[in-house]
Amino acid sequence: MAREPLRILQVMRAPVGGLFRHVADLTRALSARGHEVGLVVDTLTNDTQTEGRLAALEPLAALGIHRFPMPRLFGKGDVTTPFAISKLARRLKIDVLHGHGAKGGFYARLIRYGSSKAIAFYTPHGGVLHFPASSASGRLFHQLEKMLMAKTAAIIFESAYAQKTYAGLIAAPTCPTEVIHNGLAPEEFEPVQPVDDAADFVFVGELRALKGIFPLAEAMACLHRADGRPVRLVMAGDGPERAALEHRLASLGIADTVQLVGSQPARKVFAMGRCAVVPSLAESLPYVVLEAAAARLPVISTKVGGIPEIFGPTAASLVPANDAEALAGAMQAFLDKPDAAASEMLRRLEHIRAGFSLAVMTDAIEALYYRSLGNAQG
């Protein structure tokens, strides 16, 4: 039986990183299914890259892109913006409010205390989980989370890890919850062919300590080939600790074998190496692991966050975080036995293809919207 298209307002603060990637993917997919989607974003976080990203989504946002002040922590916008979004939701006759991240989830659910008839969903994307309970802001955000559960149709977690962490840090949710993994578009499953002079390894991510760049440098210094040829690494990305990384590479004597190429599209960078390395110290459900595996690169990664869920039947090959020796062992194994790594890659690919597609993700979120609306009306 055909169902009426929905009018959906997605609320987030800063359109950057994996959170915005998820919102953009969901906007495209829901729009393609006939739903009308609008976006609410921050006026305080604005640069050239942000404008380009939003401009690309504008043709698909039938209900428009709306901007209101959303301070990262707390400020005047936290008083005025919920009223403005509530008024917007009523004017646009919104059925579904979907808040992304701590601040987006705060606004989407807070306006349910007003006269809005829309039901509210919340995807943390790490967000509030990054605020420790020992900090004043953390205690306040966690208390707000408990209060807002009463106005939440469902919390959507992008990983079972996030669901477990939320319950342990804040409280077991009193509202419905569902784990719905992020997904990739069909074209992202097309294999990437390595360039002729591809390096052995490739890293894509921010150049900061949390991404494991320093254990990666230490591991690289331990690698060798039987024929004496140098082991090479391409690192794509930028960040606050680039200078410190360059200094460390020089002190280890490997500056000539590690190439820093700056921020570039992931699939372009994947072609520059034969194996992706994701040595993060902490993650939620990183797109880069999904993207590299879908592009048919062997992936060496740390056992953090939701990465074991992505690795599925190959999770035993994950290495401990912040352990340069273990990371070096996994990288050396790839150099010594590339065929075994390729075989593992194919097993991982089938797991990701089955459970981490954009179609699977959208099916699950769309079904949850309709089911929750039916429960609210019933």
Side-chain angles (χ1 to χ4, degrees), residues 99-168:
H100 299 268
K103 194 53 71 87
F106 171 58
Y107 292 142
R109 295 175 295 165
L110 186 62
I111 69 174
R112 290 282 292 116
Y113 282 94
S115 57
S116 174
K117 294 181 180 179
I119 62 172
F121 299 83
Y122 169 46
T123 303
H125 296 283
V128 70
L129 306 181
H130 295 155
F131 291 91
S134 58
S135 70
S137 56
R139 287 192 296 273
L140 181 54
F141 268 124
H142 296 173
Q143 197 58 42
L144 286 170
E145 285 291 325
K146 294 175 186 177
M147 179 189 80
L148 291 170
M149 284 181 195
K151 296 297 182 180
T152 309
I155 301 177
I156 302 171
F157 293 101
E158 70 274 23
S159 67
Y161 163 80
Q163 183 183 48
K164 181 180 178 181
T165 303
Y166 184 99

Side-chain angles (χ1 to χ4, degrees), residues 208-278:
R208 58 182 180 128
L210 191 67
K211 295 300 181 182
I213 57 175
F214 296 109
L216 176 56
E218 301 285 341
M220 275 294 295
C222 301
L223 304 180
H224 61 274
R225 292 183 191 278
D227 62 7
R229 287 185 296 128
V231 178
R232 295 167 51 224
L233 165 69
V234 168
M235 299 186 73
D238 230 319
E241 292 175 279
R242 176 169 180 148
L245 174 62
E246 290 174 331
H247 183 268
R248 188 64 185 134
L249 295 173
S251 68
L252 290 168
I254 57 172
D256 291 342
T257 58
V258 179
Q259 183 182 8
L260 305 183
V261 297
S263 295
Q264 298 191 38
R267 283 178 67 86
K268 178 182 176 182
V269 178
F270 292 152
M272 300 179 188
R274 301 184 185 277
C275 176
V277 186
V278 184

Side-chain angles (χ1 to χ4, degrees), residues 159-180:
S159 67
Y161 163 80
Q163 183 183 48
K164 181 180 178 181
T165 303
Y166 184 99
L169 186 63
I170 297 166
T174 55
C175 61
T177 68
E178 191 161 335
V179 175
I180 302 176

